[in-house]
Amino acid sequence: MQITICGTGDAMGVPPAFCDLEVCNADAKRRRSALLVEANETTILCDCGPDVKAQLRATETKAIDGVFVTHFHHDHVGGIDELAAFVPVIGFDIHLTETAIGHFERERAHLSDGIEPRPIRAHQPVEIGAVTVTPLPVTHARPEFETVAFAIAADDRTVVYAPDVGRIDPDVSIPSEIALLVVGGDRLFRSDGGTDSFRKIIDPFAPERVVITHVNEWWLGKSTSELRRMTRDAGYELGEDFQSITV
Ligand SMILES: [Zn+2]
């Protein structure tokens, strides 16, 4: 399975509005969160934020077999309009939670002629070609907003994509032997967070490898090299856009 982390930025992206990379002390751009999964001729996109068109172009993606959205916040779904016209042309479905479908129907009524989102439910696997995607409920945001992580399995390997995650409920059934966890990690760097607080989130996954995403140098007030050092000291890796990982 080939994983491409198409965006490692937070809701604002890096650099955010009114800044440039130098002001942020950032080495490179961070687009909004997205993950591309390729396995045995099946291509899945997780999340379609406002950078989706540039991300699909940069990865030279010519077709996808399904889109899965973690939650209906702008940075994860704001590019849905960019994909809408291609749903019937390429022939893929967009998979949303019931709550996200409600948002879609209210906020994107103008797209509903072309798209009929497919509902996804916690712990119910969806098979698309060679890839199985299972939504795992997580807590996220104040006020709390229905959000899932995705366990993505192919070739007997499992990757978990959890870009926005505050806590894992003990009753969530987490798959065993997770080869890679791509996880939102701003908590690791915040003064009210730290390594112990971050470990509470990721330890239940018991992953072989952890790549941190959903970060913003400007917002955190730390340079890329500082974030990289803190991540390494904690035993993890700081992600970068278009990093490709064979799992
Ligand atoms: Zn969010």
Side-chain angles (χ1 to χ4, degrees), residues 148-209:
V148 294
F150 291 120
I152 304 149
D155 303 330
D156 290 328
R157 302 286 274 164
T158 302
V159 171
V160 170
Y161 169 68
D164 261 326
V165 50
R167 187 165 43 79
I168 309 291
D169 287 327
D171 56 348
V172 171
S173 134
I174 294 174
S176 57
E177 297 185 23
I178 292 168
L180 172 68
L181 173 65
V182 178
V183 62
D186 66 322
R187 179 181 298 239
L188 181 61
F189 313 112
R190 289 192 331 236
S191 52
D192 62 339
T195 308
D196 287 346
S197 159
F198 182 64
R199 287 221 163 101
K200 281 196 188 114
I201 296 174
I202 63 157
D203 280 356
F205 293 102
E208 283 171 33
R209 181 174 174 182

Side-chain angles (χ1 to χ4, degrees), residues 5-109:
I5 306 173
C6 296
T8 57
D10 69 349
M12 295 183 286
V14 177
F18 316 114
C19 291
D20 57 30
L21 286 175
E22 221 165 62
V23 170
C24 300
N25 279 317
D27 288 356
K29 272 188 180 182
R30 295 188 186 277
R31 292 149 191 86
R32 267 57 72 89
S33 192
L35 193 82
L36 194 68
V37 179
E38 294 162 279
N40 300 324
E41 321 246 311
T42 301
T43 303
I44 301 290
L45 178 68
C46 294
D47 283 337
C48 53
D51 298 317
V52 70
K53 187 167 79 173
Q55 290 164 322
L56 292 173
R57 283 196 174 282
T59 51
E60 298 183 6
T61 304
K62 301 291 186 232
I64 47 180
D65 299 293
V67 176
F68 288 79
V69 173
T70 55
H71 62 302
F72 215 85
H73 277 170
H74 176 70
D75 51 326
H76 297 262
V77 79
I80 199 167
D81 301 55
E82 315 269 346
L83 298 178
F86 291 98
V87 168
V89 178
I90 294 180
F92 60 89
D93 283 318
I94 297 181
H95 302 259
L96 304 175
T97 64
E98 300 274 13
T99 304
I101 288 177
H103 282 278
F104 177 82
E105 287 170 351
R106 287 191 299 279
E107 298 163 25
R108 295 296 206 284

